[in-house]
């Protein structure tokens, strides 16, 4: 079920300048400002963040839509806020 | 009366350098004690020791400075509170475990039930030398499986479903072994690279990756005077019964081929890895 047409994000957050656990806290704060169903775009670094942030968002009940490489060593993650 | 140090040692009384003092080893399975057991230990340490305990490197607990004359009394106090004394000498030692999938988000297998099963089955069994089991819930290996005479590491046997997949690309990045390639409409996995870490399953937002709990077994680990890493001899198995048949066969192998005072690793090397591998494979096949 390829998901080609993804909606534009409602908000963005950049966590490339911070390290764990602030990475997760920043994303959480950004999600707090959104309503369930709205979409957040997260810019994150290769390595630990890109390996782990999608999974912690899933564990928190949000829906990860797409991960794409920006070509500069960073990634963009689209996540839809889950129900409270 | 001559002191029978050997008999004392069976009961987990470790002789101290101080005359007539023993560090009493307690039985702990998988690193867990109930609050009730801890209260009992506290009482015993205050009454018969010096009011403190020592935590050993393998999730054990010892009460130092117990007097020989108090051995029976402390045993009774402990037994009343559900605490048993441990073992030392040439036998199966404490079965260690991390918290596994019941508690840890990374866990691939339930470790505590398995630890109790192994401990009930083998704890204290006499062998040519000490024998350690260690159980770790996933490839993060917090419990250092390969340090043990027999190590058990949790993994997932993975299976991809096309239908729920959105080709989001998350799993390809989550996989540290670079075993997964995601394209617009395909997800491919290189089975030869897969180490069963389960990170694809844990990270997939749509449950397109399914994982069955599996056991990775290693044999002959040592981490004392000599340091050797335990080796895997069989592929991952999802069959818990096969794991038990293999551990039965492994201990029997050690009883049969091991020489007194020889660690399992050296019994294997002397007898030949092939012989153990054969034993282990047959046991797994007959499970
Ligand atoms: S080995 Fe895995 S399951 Fe066990 S505590 Fe570490 S991360 Fe968790
Ligand atoms: S993480 Fe899941 S949904 Fe995303 S590409 Fe991999 S299998 Fe498909
Ligand atoms: S189980 Fe681990 S190593 Fe195997 S494909 Fe999934 S993420 Fe990669």
């Amino acid at each position: 079920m390829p998901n080609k047409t993804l909606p534009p994000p409602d908000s963005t957050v950049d966590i490339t300048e911070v390290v764990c656990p602030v990475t997760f806290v920043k994303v959480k704060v950004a999600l707090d400002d959104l309503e369930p169903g709205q979409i957040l775009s997260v810019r994150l670094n290769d390595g630990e963040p890109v390996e782990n942030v999608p999974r912690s968002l899933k564990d928190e009940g949000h829906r990860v839509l797409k991960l794409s490489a920006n070509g500069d060593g960073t990634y963009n993650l689209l996540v839809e806020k889950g129900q409270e | 009366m001559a002191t029978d140090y050997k008999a004392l040692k069976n009961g987990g009384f470790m002789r101290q350098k101080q005359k007539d003092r023993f560090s009493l080893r307690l039985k702990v399975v998988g690193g867990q004690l109930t609050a009730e057991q801890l209260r009992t230990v506290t009482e015993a340490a205050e009454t018969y020791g010096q009011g403190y305990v020592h935590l050993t490197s393998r999730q054990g607990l010892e009460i130092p400075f117990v007097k020989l004359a108090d051995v029976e009394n402390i045993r009774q106090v402990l037994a009343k509170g559900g605490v048993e004394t441990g073992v030392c000498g040439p036998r199966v030692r404490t079965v260690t475990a991390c918290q596994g999938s019941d508690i840890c988000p990374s866990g691939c297998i339930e470790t505590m039930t398995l630890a109790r099963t192994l401990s009930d089955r083998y704890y204290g069994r006499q062998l040519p030398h000490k024998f350690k089991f260690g159980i770790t819930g996933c490839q993060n290996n917090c419990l250092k499986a390969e340090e043990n005479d027999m190590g058990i590491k949790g993994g997932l046997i993975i299976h991809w479903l096309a239908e729920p997949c959105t080709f989001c690309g998350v799993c390809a990045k989550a996989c540290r072994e670079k075993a997964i390639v995601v394209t617009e409409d395909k997800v491919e996995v290189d089975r030869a690279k897969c180490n069963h870490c389960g990170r694809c399953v844990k990270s997939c937002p749509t449950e397109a990756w399914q994982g069955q709990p599996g056991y990775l077994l290693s044999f002959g680990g040592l981490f004392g005077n000599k340091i050797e890493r335990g080796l895997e001899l069989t592929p991952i198995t999802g069959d818990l019964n096969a794991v038990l048949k293999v551990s039965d066969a492994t201990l029997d192998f050690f009883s049969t081929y091991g020489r007194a005072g020889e660690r399992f690793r050296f019994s294997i090397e002397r007898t030949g890895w092939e012989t153990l591998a054969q034993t282990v494979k047959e046991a797994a096949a007959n499970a």
Side-chain angles (χ1 to χ4, degrees), chain B residues 139 155-158 171-180 188-191 193-203 209:
Chain B
Q139 288 288 353
L156 291 181
I157 302 165
I158 56 162
C171 58
K173 285 308 294 182
C175 177
R176 289 175 175 165
E177 304 308 308
K178 310 227 178 309
I180 301 177
E188 275 167 3
V189 57
D190 182 344
R191 296 274 165 185
K193 284 188 187 163
C194 175
N195 70 359
H196 309 284
C197 73
R199 297 175 61 85
C200 50
V201 177
K202 305 268 181 187
S203 66
W209 279 113

Side-chain angles (χ1 to χ4, degrees), chain B residues 160 165-171 182 204-206 208-209:
Chain B
W160 180 72
C165 180
T166 59
F167 305 94
C168 69
V170 164
C171 58
V182 178
C204 174
T206 67
W209 279 113

